[in-house]
Amino acid sequence: MFDTDRRLFLTPEAIALDDPKYPRSWLETPAPTPPTGQYSG
Amino acid sequence: MPSYRQLGKLPPKRHIQLRNETGGFLNEGLYYEHVVTTQGFDRAYSIMYHLRPPTRITASETAGKIELRKVDEQELRHHHIETQKLARSGDPVTGRVPMMFNEDVVAWRSKPDRPQAELYRNGAADEVIFVHQGSGILETVYGKLPYRRGDYIVVPRTTTYRLVADDIQKEDHLVLECFGQVRVPTRYQNPDGQMYLGVPYYERDFHSPADLLTIDSETPTTILIKDRDRLTRVTMPHHPFDVVGWDGFLYPYTFNAWDFEPLTGTTHLPPPFQQTFECRGFVICTFAPRYLDHHPQAIKVPYVHSNVEADEVLFYVDGEFGSRRGVGLGSMTLHPGGIPHGPRQSCSTLIAASF
């Protein structure tokens, strides 16, 4: 699709809403249920 | 741009007189042509006709600066930014809160608590306003553009507008300020400029202003103009929404995420199949509800991947996201290049705007 060497920088406003443990925070929680149907909606 | 559109009064040829039989400004008997071009006259353009010359400016003053600040990150890691916790404040323009940026794009979140105070124009960037929640009308110099939940509102640079919400307390936007032009992917259009059969959307899915908003008023009107980090307030001696007709390929439009027709395979198809817009230095994709991969041994989730030349951002819009607990509607996750990422175990994202 595209390429870029321009990384994204987070702002202090974003960091104020950041989960500092992510992604460990979701690795430490029970796994979600995988989709079983044939339609994602 | 999706396709050619026209609205209102037009002369039979470009660059000839469009007579105003009521006399008009200074009794000159004319409507005033205004050509809005991109890429140095070479790409999409529109021609509009005003009641008064659009060059009439009686005052111009600085209105401050918006300086984006970088966080000095100590480590390379994924981020989960819980933007759903952002407090409601400001108006739909001045209340925008910057989340992340580079030289090509700034991503803002906006949850306004008051109506837009004055007309606004981004002079240096196209804007994509994704309507996470809300509905209303974007009043523009091209006319009135209704919007609703799930719309991408694409606003070409230099478009003067005011966002008029049905209920300002329900508005919730992701705004991408795009310093290159926002376009339909070139590979979606045939050499005749029409969408190929089989691409995820067609011309009918794109909605441009259907009604003009022509205000004939000599009341002085201010416009707040942003170009990169600089804000300027200009005053015109008349209302700038004075267009009686326009045509061309350059105009604000909406495309609703729920109109995106996802393509599927027996096994998982990669993000290029979800691409919605192309921009300089990044793309915007829509992960819409889809028929799940149906190979007997299909793994019905995206595979772990490394974007070795790009960062990936997901904005979670609707449905239940199955791969990561704690990621909710309105969450943004940033997955930088350099470390792989993927679902924990399953992924049933309904719609995630990704850029």
Side-chain angles (χ1 to χ4, degrees), chain A residues 4 6 11 18 26 29 32 40, chain B residues 77 79 98 104 309 322 344 350:
Chain A
T4 182
R6 295 173 171 177
T11 64
D18 190 34
W26 61 263
T29 60
S40 73
Chain B
R77 70 171 179 87
H79 289 271
D104 295 317
E309 292 165 324
R344 177 178 179 187
L350 294 189

Side-chain angles (χ1 to χ4, degrees), chain B residues 80-186:
Chain B
H80 173 203
I81 303 160
E82 298 175 276
T83 69
Q84 61 271 50
K85 295 180 179 176
L86 192 69
R88 191 168 284 283
S89 82
D91 81 17
V93 170
T94 59
R96 294 173 181 176
V97 179
M99 292 287 125
M100 57 190 76
F101 65 98
N102 65 12
E103 293 90 336
D104 295 317
V105 62
V106 184
W108 309 77
R109 289 282 282 114
S110 171
K111 293 170 70 176
D113 67 357
R114 70 201 71 167
Q116 188 174 325
E118 63 184 329
L119 297 179
Y120 169 73
R121 175 191 303 163
N122 194 321
D126 292 359
E127 292 184 356
V128 177
I129 303 169
F130 181 79
V131 183
H132 182 43
Q133 299 291 340
S135 62
I137 293 177
L138 192 76
E139 296 181 346
T140 79
V141 69
Y142 295 86
K144 293 185 280 189
L145 181 65
Y147 69 87
R148 60 192 170 103
R149 178 175 178 251
D151 273 348
Y152 294 95
I153 311 174
V154 179
V155 186
R157 68 199 64 201
T158 76
T159 301
T160 304
Y161 72 82
R162 184 199 305 273
L163 190 142
V164 181
D166 292 333
D167 181 349
I168 199 69
Q169 300 299 327
K170 292 181 179 173
E171 295 293 303
D172 188 342
H173 308 151
L174 169 68
V175 181
L176 302 181
E177 189 180 16
C178 314
F179 296 105
Q181 281 192 296
V182 177
R183 296 193 177 106
V184 169
T186 306

Side-chain angles (χ1 to χ4, degrees), chain B residues 220-288:
Chain B
T221 306
T222 62
I223 307 172
L224 183 66
I225 301 177
K226 181 178 189 296
D227 65 311
R228 292 279 180 171
D229 62 345
R230 180 172 56 180
L231 295 174
T232 303
R233 180 169 288 109
V234 300
T235 304
M236 299 185 70
H238 64 272
H239 201 290
F241 290 174
D242 68 341
V243 170
V244 299
W246 63 267
D247 75 335
F249 282 70
L250 190 69
Y251 49 82
Y253 60 87
T254 60
F255 169 74
N256 194 275
W258 275 269
D259 284 332
F260 189 91
E261 297 291 340
L263 302 171
T264 59
T266 60
T267 60
H268 183 71
L269 297 178
F273 286 87
Q274 328 295 336
Q275 187 178 350
T276 309
F277 298 110
E278 67 181 17
C279 316
R280 188 190 72 200
F282 71 104
V283 299
I284 300 172
C285 299
T286 304
F287 297 97

Side-chain angles (χ1 to χ4, degrees), chain B residues 22 26-27 32 95-96 105 112 152 213 219 245 253 272 276 342 344 348:
Chain B
T22 65
L26 299 181
N27 208 30
Y32 295 87
R96 294 173 181 176
V105 62
Y152 294 95
L213 179 59
T219 304
Y253 60 87
T276 309
R344 177 178 179 187
S348 60

